[in-house]
């Protein structure tokens, strides 16, 4: 058998052969596809700039008008509160769904079945018309004494109907997301926590849920972004969120397209902000799962600017080498 | 009642129709180190998990420090303990797992300091100081800020031992603590356990490390088929096993 040439065995010394300089493979198909896309985008941009019906001046005029901004704020509040209800109730439902009590377990299952099985628009309409079903809302013991009486019409305002419709529906989806997260945590973690004397609740709060977060956060971010847009359904019950606000404006001045563009741009802006927030949340809860945290946007930018023409990357320093593993005692 | 730390009388445990423990009789005195050996499936780990009530026993009696595990006896009746009482008793028993089971979202120091603060409500500053001292005791003072996945197996297991010790347990249970380790990392974990035994900790160790059992163990019990086949001084059992099953097991592992 031939001996391995010393140059290959000892990289980096004087015997290192010349670096490879080869002619790269051409990709005519890719060039063609890129050309088609570029022409398409150029055409779209040109049309958006020159077609009068976009009425960009109207877009600019209404973009920060009081009614639009108030509508945007209402949308943000609605999104935040509905997600708050969804996440907290969803977490409770998920924990109950995993309980050992069969009645509790089935109740949670039934809730999820019902609220996932009916369209959220129908649920919103239902809550808004609840006074046709129950004139008064009574808190008390069934067929027993009552503690509080409310008139349904005074309690269920459009905002409350919207929050109930969106929040209770969201809870059903969040319950499934949280449950998947909880189940993803290794059984050994439960045992270790129990062996240290932690109660079920302490184990859940300090050990299981923080680890489940890594699984829970990405879909919850999607749900939040989806919720932001779903709030527009609330326009059907005349709650002045972003979409209904612009509808009110264009029903008077008939500038339908520019005002829909105003709403769309705002939705895009908020969605973009939420996407960035989600990245940092994922990074925070990724602690301990990757050896090194992924870079922040700023770090990435800095790396791109300063290592553009730099030498080949150094070997990762955080991975302990074999010699480091034999640590000193 | 004897003053044994662990006392098992005819302990039985089944999973469905599969009987895992078929009458375990054992006693571990304070400051004693008991090593449990035996083929896989012999019930060693299950018995260990029964001691801190991670598993419920079906029949027999099991005492830790003179108190029944998982139950309270009044007259001839047994009452199940409430969760809170079970947790309090578990907090007095340390356990080390084969797969470490460190909390991956916490640093080594946080892993060690978590339970004393959360479970016992001790002041955080004092616990952190003790946690640092414990990490130093297992030779890992420089790894306090490391997350578990930045540790080697041996380091992780030593953090796990420190985590259990932070609760100041009166009894330590080890469930095959070196079985998931690369061979060259086994020694560092056994060293820590040996020093722990020298300091007078009462320990029950399920292990395949016969050298450790011989040198550190006060008693060696060989389990097979859900019973203790024979028990005695480790040197004697290992050198001249009395029972046929012990002989054949030892001939395979030694």
């Amino acid at each position: 058998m031939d001996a391995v040439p010393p140059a290959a065995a000892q990289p980096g010394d004087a015997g290192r052969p010349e670096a490879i300089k080869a002619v790269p493979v051409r990709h005519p198909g890719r060039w063609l596809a890129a050309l088609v896309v570029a022409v398409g985008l150029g055409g779209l941009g040109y049309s958006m700039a020159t077609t009068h019906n976009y009425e960009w001046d109207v877009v600019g005029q209404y973009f920060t008008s009081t009614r639009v901004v108030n509508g945007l704020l209402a949308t943000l509040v609605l999104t935040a509160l509905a997600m708050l209800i969804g996440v907290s109730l969803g977490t409770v439902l998920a924990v109950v769904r995993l309980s050992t009590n069969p009645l509790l377990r089935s109740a949670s299952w039934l809730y999820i079945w019902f609220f996932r099985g009916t369209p959220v628009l129908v649920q919103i309409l239902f809550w808004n018309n609840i006074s046709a079903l129950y004139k008064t809302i009574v808190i008390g013991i069934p067929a027993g004494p009552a503690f509080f009486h409310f008139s349904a019409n005074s309690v269920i305002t459009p905002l409350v109907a919207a929050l109930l419709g969106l929040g209770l529906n969201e809870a059903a989806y969040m319950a499934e997301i949280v449950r998947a997260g909880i189940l993803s945590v290794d059984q050994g973690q439960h045992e270790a926590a129990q062996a240290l004397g932690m109660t079920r609740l302490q184990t859940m709060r300090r050990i299981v849920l923080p680890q489940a977060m890594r699984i829970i956060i990405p879909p919850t971010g999607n749900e939040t972004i989806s919720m932001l847009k779903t709030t527009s359904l609330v326009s059907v019950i005349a709650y002045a969120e972003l979409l209904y606000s612009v509808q009110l404006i264009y029903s008077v001045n008939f500038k339908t397209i520019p005002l829909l563009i105003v709403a769309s741009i705002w939705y895009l802006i908020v969605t973009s902000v939420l996407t960035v927030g989600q990245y940092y949340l994922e990074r925070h809860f990724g602690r301990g799962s990757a050896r090194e945290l992924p870079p922040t946007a700023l770090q990435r930018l800095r790396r791109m600017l300063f290592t553009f023409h730099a030498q080949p990357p150094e070997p990762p320093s955080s991975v302990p080498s074999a010699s480091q593993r034999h640590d000193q005692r | 009642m004897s003053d044994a730390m662990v006392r098992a009388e005819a302990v039985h445990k089944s999973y469905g129709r599969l009987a895992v423990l078929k009458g375990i009789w054992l006693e571990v005195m304070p400051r004693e180190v008991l090593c449990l050996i035996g083929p896989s499936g012999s019930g060693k780990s299950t018995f260990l998990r029964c001691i801190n009530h991670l598993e419920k026993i079906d029949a027999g009696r099991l005492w830790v420090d003179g108190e029944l595990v998982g139950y309270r006896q009044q007259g001839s009746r047994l009452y199940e303990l409430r969760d809170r009482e079970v947790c309090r008793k578990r907090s007095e028993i340390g356990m080390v797992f084969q797969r470490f089971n460190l909390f991956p979202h916490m640093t080594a120091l946080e892993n060690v300091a978590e339970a004393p603060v959360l479970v016992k409500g001790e002041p955080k500053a004092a616990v952190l100081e003790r946690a640092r001292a414990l990490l130093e005791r297992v030779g890992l003072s420089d790894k306090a800020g490391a997350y578990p996945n930045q540790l080697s197996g041996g380091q992780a297991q030593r953090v796990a031992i420190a985590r259990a010790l932070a609760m100041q347990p009166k009894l330590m249970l080890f469930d095959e603590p070196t079985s998931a380790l690369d061979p060259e990392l086994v020694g560092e974990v056994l060293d820590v356990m040996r020093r722990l035994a020298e300091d007078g900790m009462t320990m029950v160790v399920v292990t395949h490390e016969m050298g450790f059992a011989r040198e550190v163990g006060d008693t060696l019990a060989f389990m097979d088929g859900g019973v203790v086949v024979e028990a005695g001084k480790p040197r004697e059992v290992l050198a001249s096993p009395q029972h046929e099953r012990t002989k054949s097991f030892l001939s395979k592992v030694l």
Side-chain angles (χ1 to χ4, degrees):
Chain A
M1 242 178 90
D2 285 340
V4 181
Q10 293 158 342
D13 67 9
R16 182 191 158 117
E18 197 186 338
I20 292 174
K21 281 186 201 124
V23 180
V25 177
R26 309 280 176 210
H27 299 281
R30 278 185 214 169
W31 281 103
L32 193 68
L35 193 70
V36 169
V37 170
V39 167
L41 283 176
L44 183 67
Y46 180 76
S47 137
M48 281 172 74
T50 56
T51 307
H52 173 69
N53 288 343
Y54 278 101
E55 296 187 89
W56 291 107
D57 52 326
V58 180
V59 171
Q61 184 191 330
Y62 280 101
F63 193 63
T64 51
S65 73
T66 317
R67 285 156 87 188
V68 169
V69 170
N70 284 343
L72 174 68
L73 289 179
T75 288
L76 292 179
V77 168
L78 209 53
T79 306
L81 290 180
M83 281 311 290
L84 192 70
I85 296 173
V87 170
S88 22
L89 183 57
T91 308
V92 172
L93 283 167
V95 173
V96 168
R97 182 92 196 268
L98 296 168
S99 112
T100 42
N101 182 323
L103 183 70
L104 288 177
R105 222 166 41 213
S106 328
S108 174
W109 181 88
L110 195 71
Y111 179 99
I112 294 166
W113 171 79
F114 180 79
F115 281 93
R116 280 208 309 186
T118 51
V120 64
L121 182 55
V122 175
Q123 290 171 31
I124 293 169
L125 289 170
F126 237 109
W127 286 113
N128 198 45
N129 293 295
I130 197 80
S131 63
L133 187 59
Y134 295 110
K135 284 259 176 310
T136 54
I137 297 169
V138 179
I139 295 178
I141 296 160
F147 305 129
F148 296 103
H149 276 277
F150 304 105
S151 145
N153 262 330
S154 65
V155 174
I156 309 290
T157 61
L159 173 64
V160 172
L163 281 179
L164 285 172
L166 295 172
L168 298 188
N169 182 265
E170 187 56 35
Y173 286 92
M174 282 309 303
E176 290 296 273
I177 291 172
V178 174
R179 188 170 74 104
I182 291 175
L183 290 179
S184 76
V185 176
D186 182 38
Q187 189 58 33
Q189 295 288 310
H190 291 265
E191 283 178 6
Q194 282 179 344
L196 286 165
M198 294 189 203
T199 62
R200 266 175 226 281
L201 202 65
Q202 287 171 333
T203 306
M204 200 45 97
R205 196 165 53 83
R206 298 287 304 176
I207 307 301
V208 176
L209 281 179
Q211 293 183 57
M213 279 301 176
R214 209 164 48 80
I215 307 294
I216 294 172
I217 291 287
T220 304
N222 286 341
E223 290 292 313
T224 309
I225 288 167
S226 165
M227 175 63 78
L228 176 80
K229 296 174 294 171
T230 310
T231 54
S232 61
L233 289 179
V234 167
S235 60
V236 299
I237 60 170
Y239 180 73
E241 42 68 63
L242 183 54
L243 178 62
Y244 194 63
S245 299
V246 303
Q247 282 177 331
L248 284 178
I249 299 172
Y250 71 63
S251 66
V252 176
N253 67 7
F254 303 108
K255 304 283 190 192
T256 309
I257 293 294
L259 279 157
L260 286 177
I261 291 176
V262 167
S264 303
I265 294 177
W266 273 121
Y267 282 122
L268 276 173
I269 289 175
V270 180
T271 310
S272 311
V273 171
L274 288 176
T275 309
V276 172
Q278 181 180 358
Y279 179 81
Y280 281 94
L281 262 181
E282 280 178 31
R283 194 171 173 276
H284 175 76
F285 284 105
R287 276 171 317 167
S289 62
R291 282 183 193 269
E292 227 174 325
L293 286 175
T296 63
L298 205 67
Q299 289 168 340
R300 224 185 302 181
L301 185 71
R302 212 178 292 147
R303 212 168 289 181
M304 216 164 71
L305 290 176
F306 294 118
T307 59
F308 202 53
H309 291 289
Q311 303 80 3
E314 304 163 34
S317 54
S318 65
V319 182
S321 68
S323 61
Q324 282 171 320
R325 278 174 165 236
H326 290 284
D327 51 334
Q328 63 290 12
R329 264 194 225 113
Chain B
M1 189 67 49
S2 69
D3 49 2
M5 181 59 82
V6 180
R7 187 170 142 86
E9 276 181 11
V11 168
H12 283 73
K13 168 78 191 169
S14 308
Y15 295 109
R17 296 170 66 185
L18 178 72
V20 184
L21 301 180
K22 302 174 187 164
I24 303 283
W25 299 74
L26 267 179
E27 249 187 21
V28 186
M29 300 307 287
R31 304 176 72 84
E32 186 184 337
V33 175
L34 168 70
C35 291
L36 287 173
I37 63 167
S40 60
S42 59
K44 317 179 291 288
S45 291
T46 304
F47 175 65
L48 201 70
R49 295 158 58 82
C50 288
I51 295 177
N52 66 356
H53 207 50
L54 283 177
E55 305 284 353
K56 261 186 197 170
I57 64 174
D58 302 330
R61 292 284 187 276
L62 187 54
W63 291 268
V64 170
D65 204 13
E67 289 179 42
L68 271 181
V69 173
Y71 303 93
R72 184 162 39 89
Q73 189 159 14
Q74 269 176 6
S76 59
R77 259 234 158 92
L78 283 186
Y79 295 88
E80 272 188 16
L81 289 183
R82 297 182 163 280
D83 276 355
R84 198 152 279 284
E85 295 167 289
V86 172
C87 287
R88 192 182 53 74
K89 290 197 174 178
R90 278 196 193 122
S91 72
E92 298 169 347
I93 304 172
M95 185 157 188
V96 174
F97 299 87
Q98 183 178 357
R99 305 219 56 96
F100 329 137
N101 297 349
L102 288 180
F103 305 134
H105 57 304
M106 297 180 185
T107 62
L109 187 68
E110 288 166 347
N111 262 281
V112 179
E114 176 71 16
V117 176
L118 186 68
V119 176
K120 288 179 158 181
E122 292 183 54
K124 193 159 186 183
V127 172
L128 281 177
E129 200 174 313
R130 191 164 82 224
R132 284 214 178 79
L134 280 167
L135 283 179
E136 196 178 334
R137 187 167 159 199
V138 298
L140 289 173
S141 40
D142 56 327
K143 295 288 180 189
Y147 284 98
N149 65 359
Q150 296 166 324
L151 301 174
S152 72
Q155 293 169 339
Q157 193 62 297
R158 285 185 282 153
V159 172
I161 294 173
R163 176 176 71 175
L165 291 177
M167 292 298 281
Q168 299 176 315
K170 54 189 177 189
L171 168 68
M172 285 284 285
L173 309 175
F174 292 85
D175 190 2
E176 301 197 24
T178 58
S179 298
L181 297 179
D182 291 342
E184 85 266 26
L185 304 178
V186 168
E188 63 192 52
V189 172
L190 292 183
D191 278 350
V192 169
M193 291 168 61
R194 180 176 296 124
R195 269 183 285 142
L196 199 54
E198 284 162 6
D199 291 347
M201 177 62 77
T202 313
M203 295 161 57
V204 181
V205 185
V206 172
T207 188
H208 294 296
E209 297 292 332
M210 298 304 159
F212 176 85
R214 176 170 25 225
E215 285 158 37
V216 181
D218 298 303
T219 312
L220 181 72
F222 171 72
M223 283 179 66
D224 193 15
V227 294
V228 175
V229 176
E230 77 177 275
K233 291 260 166 278
R235 275 170 210 287
E236 290 163 18
V237 176
L238 290 174
S240 53
Q242 300 301 306
H243 204 283
E244 208 48 51
R245 276 192 282 175
T246 320
K247 273 179 206 164
S248 88
F249 175 76
L250 289 177
S251 72
K252 282 175 208 148
V253 298
L254 284 180

